[in-house]
Amino acid sequence: MSTGNKRAIRTVLQGIAAFAVAAPGIVAASGISATLSWVVGGLAILGGLARVMALPSVEALLDRFGLGLVDDNGGSA
């Protein structure tokens, strides 16, 4: 897999994690009741996803699938 493709996939994954972190603020700004069961469940899932993306073991998992961090010369960082 090319370095460009790896970086694109990682960017999408990081975008999902960033949305997970921002979701509580989005819900508050939208005026949706945060006590709705689907909102609470969604926020819990997104919060868990954001926490999981911060784990070193996730980086190790990405390395196993060839999506680990790469530098400009193609080696792993």
Side-chain angles (χ1 to χ4, degrees), residues 24-38:
I26 293 169
V27 169
S30 70
I32 297 173
S33 173
T35 59
L36 292 172
S37 61
W38 65 270

Side-chain angles (χ1 to χ4, degrees), residues 15-77:
I16 292 169
F19 177 75
V21 171
I26 293 169
V27 169
S30 70
I32 297 173
S33 173
T35 59
L36 292 172
S37 61
W38 65 270
V39 173
V40 172
L43 291 176
I45 291 169
L46 291 174
L49 177 63
R51 178 69 181 118
V52 167
M53 289 297 290
L55 296 174
S57 57
V58 172
E59 181 59 39
L61 179 67
L62 290 173
D63 282 337
R64 290 181 68 187
F65 288 101
L67 297 173
L69 292 173
V70 294
D71 56 16
D72 288 335
N73 65 8
S76 69

